[in-house]
Amino acid sequence: MIAAATRELEFWSPQALFKGETIFCLASGPSLTAEICDRIRGHRSIAINSSAVLAPWASVLFFTDSGWYEPRRELVANWAGLVISMSRTAKRELPDKVKRVQGEGDPQALPGFSRGPHVIQQGRSSGHTAVSLAIALGAARVVLLGYDMRFVGGREHCHGEYKGPRDIEIYQREFVPGFAGWNEAAAAVGVDVVNATEGSALKEFRFATLDRLEA
C-alpha cells in the first residue's frame, strides 16, 4: 500500500512523441459519430473521456478526473494505446499503465504552452485541456472534432451516460470564453489549431471541414 500511495504522486513529463504530426482531438459533443471517427482512423488521435467508445483505436486516451475513471476501470486497463490523465486514483490503481500529468495555469487567462516538466496548460474541461496535451505531444496541427460547445437537438454529448438536469448555459458562460487567447498562444509555438466540428459554437480557431482536411 505504501508503494501504491507513492506511485500516485508520480508525474510523467509529456514528450514530443508525435512531433510535426496532425493530432485529432475527439471530444464527446453530440456531433461526434462512429462514422466521423472511422474517417480519421489511422491518424494520431486523442480520445477524450467517453469518446473512447467510438474510437477504441485512438493513439491516446485522455481523462482528467477520477469520477470518470472509477466506473470505467476495465476500459482504461484494457486500452491499447497511451493512457494519460490527471487522476491520482487511476495512477494509484494502474501505476504502470497511466501516465499522470499536471495541469497548471488559470483556464480563464492567456495560456502558455511551455510550463516546465510534467506540466501542461490547464483548460476548463477535459476537451479544453486536451488541446494543450496535443501541443505538448509535438503536434504541428491540432484538429478538433466533437467540440460542439452547445446543446444540439436537446443533446449535450454523443452518448447518454450523464443523467439528470444539465446546465444549458454553461457553454456560453464558461466553456467557450475559457478558450479566449488559445489560438494566439498556439500560433506562438508554431501550432495550427483547426476546428472541424460542424456547427460549433467555439469560434476561437479557424474552421475547416473534415472533407477539406482530408483532401
Side-chain angles (χ1 to χ4, degrees):
M1 293 298 294
I2 295 175
T6 302
R7 293 292 304 273
E8 78 177 28
L9 301 178
E10 290 181 2
F11 286 110
W12 177 71
S13 293
Q15 303 163 19
L17 302 174
F18 310 137
K19 185 175 182 179
E21 297 187 51
T22 293
I23 299 179
F24 289 84
C25 287
L26 307 176
S28 55
S31 66
L32 193 73
T33 64
E35 179 184 7
I36 288 174
C37 290
D38 285 344
R39 288 176 61 181
I40 60 100
R41 187 168 185 163
H43 295 277
R44 297 296 184 191
S45 53
I46 299 174
I48 303 155
N49 293 339
S50 295
S51 64
V53 176
L54 297 179
W57 37 259
S59 313
V60 177
L61 168 60
F62 176 65
F63 56 95
T64 56
D65 60 274
S66 300
W68 181 88
Y69 162 73
E70 288 169 357
R72 301 170 181 85
R73 287 180 168 90
E74 185 175 354
L75 184 155
V76 176
N78 293 327
W79 188 261
L82 291 172
V83 177
I84 302 176
S85 178
M86 295 179 181
S87 166
R88 287 179 61 171
T89 301
K91 181 63 179 177
R92 181 177 66 249
E93 295 183 357
L94 299 169
D96 295 323
K97 180 78 173 180
V98 175
K99 298 182 183 302
R100 184 172 177 234
V101 293
Q102 182 177 5
E104 288 187 356
D106 182 354
Q108 304 297 330
L110 186 67
F113 291 117
S114 179
R115 306 188 68 88
H118 74 244
V119 173
I120 61 175
Q121 171 66 35
Q122 181 75 50
R124 180 62 183 77
S125 65
S126 296
H128 193 172
T129 306
V131 176
S132 60
L133 175 62
I135 292 171
L137 291 173
R141 181 173 66 172
V142 180
V143 179
L144 311 183
L145 290 167
Y147 282 73
D148 299 80
M149 294 290 154
R150 65 189 183 100
F151 282 71
V152 179
R155 298 174 63 234
E156 185 181 9
H157 297 98
C158 60
H159 54 77
E161 295 181 359
Y162 303 142
K163 307 298 182 183
R166 305 289 292 176
D167 182 356
I168 64 174
E169 304 296 333
I170 195 169
Y171 292 99
Q172 289 303 315
R173 186 180 69 246
E174 297 183 27
F175 289 169
V176 171
F179 275 96
W182 280 56
N183 186 55
E184 177 184 349
V189 293
V191 180
D192 179 26
V193 182
V194 184
N195 190 352
T197 307
E198 296 280 357
S200 175
L202 178 61
K203 309 301 182 185
E204 172 69 12
F205 310 105
R206 72 179 181 91
F207 178 80
T209 64
L210 192 53
D211 287 336
R212 183 176 178 182
L213 293 171
E214 291 176 320

